[in-house]
Amino acid sequence: MFIIKQSKDLFRYLQKQRAAKKTIGFVPTMGALHQGHLSLVKKAGEESGVVVCSIFVNPTQFNDPKDFELYPKTLENDIYLLEKEACDVLFLPDTGEIYPSGITQTQVYELGYLESVLEGKYRPGHFQGVCQVVHRLIEIVRPNQLYIGQKDYQQCMVIRKLLTLIHSPAKIIICPTLREPNGLAMSSRNMRLSADEKQKAGGIFEALSYINKHMKAGPVKEMIEGAGNLLIQKELVADYVVIAKAEDLQIIDVWDGQTKIIALIAAFMGEVRLIDNMLLPLNFASYGN
Ligand code: AMP
């Protein structure tokens, strides 16, 4: 695996690959890699001629400076895991490489409603930061396929919108969420949880599964309350528990029994904020694929 730190070097390398008619699969990450990330790299490897994974902890998408400061960093292990997964290139830029004119954002991305709800509401500026970094990375890598995780469902929708706004031809591939044995969605932030907290954080999956099991046409209030109670029992403090239309994240109070929907939860376990979601009913194929 090549480790490339400068965008001009990566650009030059990828031009050669394109000239050799290889397609480019790209997996952007913030490092502290786990099996969820690696499943994206694996899928990219199955479908692309060259796989590029980036590790860059993007300062502009953290609305909480403490979260940025405490974000786990495990570079040596990340390199080991990527090598094992047959990744071709690790792009490892520093902040100056991604933001040569500084991190102050000049471009505003018109995300509309998507930015006003859920993660957009609870993490002001977060999605602008996500768009800023993904836009820059796409300019550098110019991927044919972009591999992202359903775990960050709203982010998937934001990136889809971004690709339209910047007229990128890259195809989005949304990959399923990998979970710990107790159902907890794998996340770099889980590294900040104690064993006991990890166990209790499995309550998020329990709450989503409760909604899935009890979901029926009509008002959704009872399902939301039941899920909320399960979170409280596990000492999880919720920012939100909602059911929304899978297509556009419009939050619903009543389900017609037919529209494709998604349950989404954000909750704190101690100081660590976790998010997860479940498309309903569970057997409904992943959105967008
Ligand atoms: P991050 O490093 O958290 O920015 O995540 C990088 C990519 O990995 C994003 O597209 C995430 O949605 C995806 N991802 C994170 N956690 C998981 C998971 N448990 N399963 C599958 N993909 C994931």
Side-chain angles (χ1 to χ4, degrees):
M1 180 175 75
F2 293 116
I3 300 179
I4 300 181
K5 296 190 170 182
Q6 306 231 323
S7 24
K8 65 173 182 354
D9 294 336
L10 178 62
F11 192 82
R12 209 175 301 133
Y13 169 83
L14 291 176
Q15 282 297 63
K16 280 194 204 138
Q17 305 304 314
R18 273 187 277 269
K21 300 271 178 273
K22 290 195 183 165
T23 58
I24 298 163
F26 180 39
V27 183
T29 82
M30 298 206 295
L33 301 183
H34 49 67
Q35 291 304 317
H37 294 117
L38 297 175
S39 71
L40 271 54
V41 173
K42 184 164 186 273
K43 183 136 173 80
E46 287 162 5
E47 299 178 351
S48 327
V50 185
V51 179
V52 179
C53 175
S54 64
I55 296 182
F56 177 64
V57 185
N58 174 35
T60 70
Q61 72 185 70
F62 285 83
N63 53 313
D64 175 0
K66 207 166 160 212
D67 189 26
F68 177 57
E69 202 185 301
L70 294 175
Y71 201 83
K73 290 174 192 71
T74 58
L75 184 59
E76 233 174 88
N77 191 50
D78 292 351
I79 293 171
Y80 168 75
L81 293 172
L82 288 173
E83 290 262 14
K84 241 179 41 175
E85 206 53 71
C87 180
D88 297 296
V89 179
L90 166 58
F91 181 44
L92 198 59
D94 64 15
T95 309
E97 196 61 32
I98 294 294
Y99 301 122
S101 326
I103 60 169
T104 309
Q105 194 156 3
T106 46
Q107 183 163 359
V108 177
Y109 299 90
E110 292 298 333
L111 301 173
Y113 171 77
L114 262 185
E115 201 179 10
S116 69
V117 284
L118 308 173
E119 293 305 284
K121 180 171 157 192
Y122 283 89
R123 302 186 65 189
H126 168 64
F127 286 130
Q128 289 296 323
V130 168
C131 286
Q132 189 186 17
V133 73
V134 175
H135 187 179
R136 176 79 178 118
L137 287 168
I138 283 180
E139 267 176 3
I140 298 167
V141 179
R142 293 172 46 207
N144 300 87
Q145 286 100 232
L146 181 63
Y147 294 84
I148 53 179
Q150 188 202 306
K151 182 188 157 275
D152 299 285
Y153 188 83
Q154 193 173 3
Q155 175 171 276
C156 293
M157 302 189 81
V158 163
I159 293 177
R160 171 167 293 174
K161 176 121 194 196
L162 171 72
L163 295 187
T164 317
L165 291 173
I166 65 173
H167 308 293
S168 164
K171 186 176 170 218
I172 285 192
I173 315 288
I174 300 175
C175 304
T177 303
L178 263 69
R179 300 179 178 282
E180 301 289 350
N182 71 344
L184 172 64
M186 288 182 182
S187 164
S188 305
R189 288 185 176 87
N190 294 354
M191 288 178 197
R192 292 177 53 201
L193 300 174
S194 69
D196 179 50
E197 286 175 326
K198 255 188 213 162
Q199 211 40 50
K200 289 186 200 140
I204 297 177
F205 181 69
E206 277 176 45
L208 291 168
S209 304
Y210 174 92
I211 294 174
N212 180 55
K213 190 169 159 204
H214 294 90
M215 199 66 208
K216 56 180 188 302
V220 302
K221 194 164 167 270
E222 265 177 41
M223 265 74 78
I224 299 280
E225 280 174 5
N229 288 336
L230 283 171
L231 296 179
I232 292 167
Q233 278 169 30
K234 293 286 167 75
E235 293 164 35
L236 285 151
V237 180
D239 265 351
Y240 57 79
V241 181
V242 299
I243 298 172
K245 288 188 191 167
E247 194 194 345
D248 55 12
L249 284 184
Q250 295 285 341
I251 293 163
I252 61 162
D253 296 323
V254 178
W255 185 39
D256 61 11
Q258 292 195 330
T259 308
K260 289 167 182 170
I261 51 175
I262 182 165
L264 305 114
I265 293 178
F268 281 90
M269 172 47 71
E271 300 222 311
V272 183
R273 189 173 182 279
L274 302 165
I275 59 169
D276 200 354
N277 63 74
M278 194 180 276
L279 287 156
L280 306 176
L282 193 52
N283 60 3
F284 154 58
S286 282
Y287 175 83
N289 288 331

